[in-house]
């Protein structure tokens, strides 16, 4: 079976919600440096290579929302689908203290090959699924590490990220605030806008309601935890969309 840079699940589901997972796997395709970026397995299992737990949450949440899901099938260290094509961090050479040897000195042809075989097909799939929905609502699922090397602990359980369109983010945060045991990051642990990123490309540029959700990865490391977060988030998203009037 030939390599495919994305997975689509539930393409025939009926709701407006569409779930995305930009950093679903730590896969390095065989045609990229023989499937090896030169990193030890410990680094490939870290948050630098993919968003731990995010794929499981995405699949479970899409099922509960009765919407489709599109998930990437390549490590963010090969090429980051949540970056515009001209973003300097599209292909990382250093990430959280780890040097990615296979990305050093990468030429224009090799960069274009990664765009053609992974980045662009993933975004074409997202665009195609979104265009097939009536007034889609995009929900992008990510996870973050509790602590970067040499940096303070991150206190948030969940972060809600956005750019200038807060139509869904604000009611979503308000609804999350009702769950008192949660520490919610408002555009934390980082800002939710990068020119050319997935939400910019498929939501902002089309005027589509959307929200990017970051969950601390130690809270979703097991299937049971991923299912529980999907159970928790699905009604919050449904209520938030209703409250927004979108």
């Amino acid at each position: 079976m030939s390599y495919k840079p994305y997975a689509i699940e539930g393409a025939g589901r009926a709701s407006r919600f569409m779930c995305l997972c930009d950093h679903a796997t730590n896969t390095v395709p065989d045609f990229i440096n023989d499937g090896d970026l030169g990193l030890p397995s410990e680094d490939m299992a870290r948050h630098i290579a993919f968003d731990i737990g995010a794929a499981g949450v995405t699949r479970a949440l899409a099922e509960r929302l009765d919407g489709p899901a599109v998930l990437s099938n390549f490590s963010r260290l090969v090429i980051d689908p949540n970056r515009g094509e001209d973003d300097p961090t599209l292909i990382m050479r250093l990430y959280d203290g780890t040097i990615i040897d296979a990305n050093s000195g990468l030429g224009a042809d090799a960069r274009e090959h990664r765009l053609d075989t992974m980045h662009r097909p993933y975004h074409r799939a997202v665009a195609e699924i979104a265009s097939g929905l009536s007034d889609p609502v995009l929900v992008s699922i990510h996870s973050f590490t509790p602590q970067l090397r040499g940096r303070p602990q991150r206190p948030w359980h969940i972060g809600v990220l956005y750019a200038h369109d807060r139509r869904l983010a604000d009611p979503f945060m308000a609804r999350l605030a009702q769950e008192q045991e949660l520490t919610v990051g408002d555009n934390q642990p980082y800002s939710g806008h990068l020119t050319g990123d997935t939400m910019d490309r498929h939501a902002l540029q089309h005027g589509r309601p959307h929200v990017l959700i970051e969950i601390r990865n130690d809270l979703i490391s097991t299937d049971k935890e991923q299912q529980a977060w999907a159970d928790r988030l699905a009604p919050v998203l449904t209520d938030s969309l209703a409250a927004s009037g979108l």
Side-chain angles (χ1 to χ4, degrees):
M1 186 176 181
S2 60
Y3 168 76
K4 196 169 185 178
Y6 58 86
I8 298 172
E9 299 191 8
R13 293 175 184 155
S15 85
R16 294 174 61 192
F17 283 105
M18 173 181 177
C19 294
L20 306 177
C21 191
D22 293 329
H23 303 138
T25 76
N26 59 359
T27 301
V28 181
D30 289 343
F31 55 81
I32 299 295
N33 206 43
D34 294 324
D36 186 357
L37 294 178
L39 300 179
S41 58
E42 292 82 3
D43 273 333
M44 291 305 298
R46 294 177 62 214
H47 68 97
I48 64 171
F50 71 122
D51 280 358
I52 296 163
V57 174
T58 301
R59 290 188 179 95
L61 183 60
E63 184 176 11
R64 285 154 178 77
L65 293 171
D66 193 34
V70 183
L71 304 94
S72 70
N73 186 31
F74 50 93
S75 172
R76 68 194 301 169
L77 294 181
V78 178
I79 190 166
D80 193 333
N82 196 34
R83 296 292 185 274
E85 291 191 13
D86 58 354
D87 192 300
T89 64
L90 177 69
I91 300 176
M92 296 288 280
R93 293 163 176 80
L94 174 68
Y95 193 176
D96 196 21
T98 294
I99 297 171
I100 302 95
D101 289 333
N103 293 346
S104 298
L106 201 68
D109 288 346
R111 179 182 179 278
E112 193 69 13
H113 181 246
R114 296 188 189 190
L115 283 166
D116 279 342
T117 55
M118 290 168 280
H119 192 280
R120 289 169 182 154
Y122 171 72
H123 284 287
R124 283 196 295 268
V126 173
E128 181 177 351
I129 295 296
S131 66
L133 297 176
S134 177
D135 197 14
V137 178
L138 274 57
V139 179
S140 185
I141 301 296
H142 292 252
S143 70
F144 64 95
T145 184
Q147 185 176 23
L148 294 169
R149 288 176 173 174
R151 303 290 293 276
Q153 286 277 347
R154 290 164 160 173
W156 310 281
H157 298 107
I158 184 172
V160 181
L161 275 56
Y162 53 85
H164 55 270
D165 183 349
R166 304 174 56 149
R167 293 176 297 163
L168 185 55
D170 280 348
F172 182 65
M173 284 189 288
R175 176 65 174 77
L176 284 175
Q178 297 174 20
E179 304 197 18
Q180 297 181 0
E181 72 276 18
L182 286 181
T183 301
V184 180
D186 182 342
N187 244 358
Q188 296 286 354
Y190 21 73
S191 170
H193 180 59
L194 289 169
T195 301
D197 69 5
T198 299
M199 290 292 93
D200 180 32
R201 184 169 179 168
H202 299 287
L204 284 168
Q205 292 181 24
H206 299 270
R208 292 168 175 156
H210 63 282
V211 66
L212 191 155
I213 300 170
E214 289 270 2
I215 306 170
R216 208 175 68 208
N217 65 27
D218 61 322
L219 303 177
I220 51 171
S221 60
T222 68
D223 178 70
K224 182 178 179 181
E225 291 169 335
Q226 293 158 21
Q227 297 292 328
W229 271 92
D231 287 338
R232 181 178 220 167
L233 291 175
V236 175
L237 283 162
T238 302
D239 292 350
S240 301
L241 182 61
S244 73
L246 293 166

